[in-house]
């Protein structure tokens, strides 16, 4: 198939070329994000390959379809950015990578927890300045602390197992409780109890209409004073303005995020020579007790190889059966 690969970074090209070594598909690598203004670059292709911040709303999908595109393959697990109902009514198939390395994301989440707790970001800067004072770097033992995990799918389960390894009590919340997760040592509780009892809260649910701003001012007010919040799921699960207010008042003890509501205009690019125009994001960066990474939780060698392999498998399957190997259908929204 001829595939227009949007939002291409050099590493995407390397891993996709390796997965496509047999040369069954022809990839056109496009650094631009897929959106209304770039959709014309998909001309002459059968499929588009998109990433997390590409825009796949009804208008873009209709424009793709009218240009002969029959398949959208996502290089990610989340599909909140795709209008699946529009895709279905246009007869556009959508495939994704349902699982590439839940370990990659869970391990990065733990990196954020440890960095925030032991102030590694501050210690790193201090030591390089010749400042070996410890005041201000005080952390706490994870052992014996209570960790709340919201969403116990593939990534949440990995995170539960790691935190149990630290000797934490793990509370979980998920509309679809998983006996495997319970066997791993998590105890399912209502969200209100999880918020009230956890020292660390980590979000691993998808972004849906139900989880949009799940962590808002009301949820934050139910948390333990000084609790840590970590979000490696999707930015809009958290109301960033409410979180900033909670950080300012001291109600929220620390925040680690790999995702941000308005990340599409920021992440995956080098903006170091430009003025930051997003005042909310700029405010977040001023807190000593906030660590932000730019949507890199997935970014391991193992995960990129698995993403590329699943993407090629989606294309192969579509060619032979008319459906991607891992289809996303409109009923996933239910
Ligand atoms: P998954 O589909 O295996 O698990 C999601 C879980 O969330 C399911 O068990 C589901 O029942 C649960 N859930 C749904 N609504 C919920 C709610 N209202 N409250 C609590 N739980 C709810 O997904 P997976 O693979 O574990 O990924 C989780 C999320 O992580 C993805 O949707 C994606 O947004 C994000 N992600 C982030 C990456 C990064 O690089 N930062 C990389 C990959 C995924």
């Amino acid at each position: 198939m001829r595939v227009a690969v949007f939002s291409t970074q050099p590493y995407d090209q390397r891993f996709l070329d390796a997965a496509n070594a047999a040369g069954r598909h022809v990839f056109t690598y496009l650094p631009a994000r897929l959106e209304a203004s770039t959709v014309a670059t998909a001309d002459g292709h059968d499929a588009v390959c998109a990433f997390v911040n590409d825009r796949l709303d009804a208008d873009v999908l209709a424009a793709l379809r009218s240009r002969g595109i029959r398949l959208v393959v996502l290089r990610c697990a989340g599909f909140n950015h795709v209008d699946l109902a529009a895709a279905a009514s246009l007869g556009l198939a959508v495939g994704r990578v349902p699982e590439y390395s839940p370990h990659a994301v869970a391990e990065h989440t733990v990196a954020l927890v440890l960095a925030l707790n032991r102030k590694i970001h501050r210690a790193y800067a201090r030591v390089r300045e010749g400042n070996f004072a410890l005041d201000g770097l005080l952390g706490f033992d994870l052992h014996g602390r209570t960790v709340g995990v919201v969403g116990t799918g593939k990534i949440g389960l990995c995170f539960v197992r790691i935190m149990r390894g630290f000797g934490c009590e793990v509370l979980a919340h998920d509309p679809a409780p998983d006996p495997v997760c319970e066997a791993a040592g998590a105890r399912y509780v209502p969200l209100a109890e999880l918020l009230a009892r956890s020292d660390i809260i980590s979000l691993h649910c998808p972004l849906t209409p139900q989880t949009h701003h799940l962590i808002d001012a009301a949820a934050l007010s139910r948390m333990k004073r000084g609790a840590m919040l970590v979000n490696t799921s999707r930015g809009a699960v958290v109301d960033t303005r409410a979180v900033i207010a909670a950080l300012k008042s001291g109600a929220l003890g620390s925040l680690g995020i790999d995702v941000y509501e308005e990340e599409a205009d920021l992440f995956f690019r080098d903006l170091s020579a430009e003025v930051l125009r997003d005042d909310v994001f700029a405010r977040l960066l001023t807190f000593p007790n906030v660590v932000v990474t730019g949507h890199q939780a997935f970014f391991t060698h193992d995960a990129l190889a698995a993403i590329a392999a699943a993407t090629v498998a989606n294309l192969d399957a579509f060619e032979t059966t008319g459906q991607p190997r891992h289809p996303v259908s409109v009923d996933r929204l239910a």
Side-chain angles (χ1 to χ4, degrees):
M1 297 184 82
R2 294 165 304 168
V3 188
V5 184
F6 284 88
S7 297
T8 302
Q9 298 286 348
Y11 45 81
D12 293 315
Q13 184 164 350
R14 268 200 318 278
F15 281 90
L16 279 172
D17 283 346
N20 187 41
R24 284 190 299 279
H25 309 288
V26 177
F27 294 127
T28 308
Y29 292 110
L30 304 162
R33 211 162 69 191
L34 174 58
E35 56 193 5
S37 65
T38 59
V39 81
T41 51
D43 277 353
H45 297 88
D46 311 300
V48 296
C49 180
F51 197 47
V52 289
N53 291 325
D54 288 312
R55 191 169 297 252
L56 291 149
D57 59 21
D59 289 345
V60 169
L61 292 172
L64 289 172
R65 191 72 190 93
S66 72
R67 289 166 190 279
I69 298 296
R70 293 177 292 140
L71 170 67
V72 174
V73 282
L74 304 172
R75 303 196 294 286
C76 52
F79 46 86
N80 52 283
H81 54 315
V82 186
D83 188 331
L84 292 177
S89 70
L90 288 162
L92 251 179
V94 181
R96 67 171 181 142
V97 184
E99 165 171 62
Y100 42 91
S101 173
H103 305 286
V105 183
E107 288 170 15
H108 188 79
T109 308
V110 177
L112 289 174
V113 169
L114 291 171
L116 282 168
N117 177 26
R118 306 307 291 268
K119 327 285 194 275
I120 301 297
H121 53 303
R122 302 189 65 205
Y124 176 80
R126 274 192 196 187
V127 167
R128 287 172 70 92
E129 290 291 319
N131 176 358
F132 304 104
L134 297 184
D135 198 27
L137 303 182
L138 194 64
F140 55 85
D141 286 9
L142 287 176
H143 186 270
R145 288 301 202 283
T146 301
V147 176
V149 182
V150 180
T152 56
K154 291 176 284 295
I155 296 168
L157 174 60
C158 283
F159 183 71
V160 166
R161 288 187 166 131
I162 299 172
M163 298 319 286
R164 288 291 294 157
F166 276 106
C168 296
E169 180 191 0
V170 177
L171 304 178
H173 176 73
D174 193 308
D178 176 5
V180 175
C181 192
E182 279 178 314
R187 195 160 65 76
Y188 284 98
V189 295
L191 183 60
E193 182 179 343
L194 182 151
L195 295 173
R197 290 199 42 217
S198 299
D199 300 296
I200 297 168
I201 294 171
S202 190
L203 306 176
H204 300 288
C205 55
L207 176 60
T208 64
Q210 291 74 39
T211 62
H212 183 267
H213 285 189
L214 184 72
I215 304 300
D216 58 6
L220 287 157
S221 72
R222 288 193 198 103
M223 288 182 195
K224 261 189 186 176
R225 189 168 179 84
M228 177 192 296
L229 175 66
V230 179
N231 185 14
T232 57
S233 62
R234 284 291 180 267
V237 175
V238 168
D239 178 346
T240 315
R241 286 186 163 80
V243 156
I244 288 174
L247 284 164
K248 281 169 73 177
S249 72
L252 186 62
S254 56
L255 172 74
I257 54 171
D258 185 53
V259 287
Y260 168 59
E261 289 185 81
E262 305 298 332
E263 70 177 49
D265 291 330
L266 293 168
F267 288 180
F268 307 120
R269 280 172 295 160
D270 179 1
L271 301 177
S272 55
E274 295 187 22
V275 171
L276 193 50
R277 291 199 197 84
D278 182 331
D279 291 345
V280 174
F281 190 71
R283 182 67 179 97
L284 271 184
L285 299 184
T286 66
F287 291 98
N289 49 351
V290 171
V291 172
V292 181
T293 52
H295 208 136
Q296 72 171 81
F298 73 99
F299 199 56
T300 65
H301 186 283
D302 313 69
L304 288 191
I307 289 170
T311 301
V312 170
N314 274 331
L315 297 168
D316 288 345
F318 187 81
E319 249 180 0
T320 51
T321 68
Q323 278 302 314
R325 171 88 183 275
H326 307 289
V328 190
S329 56
V330 72
D331 59 335
R332 297 277 320 200
L333 291 173

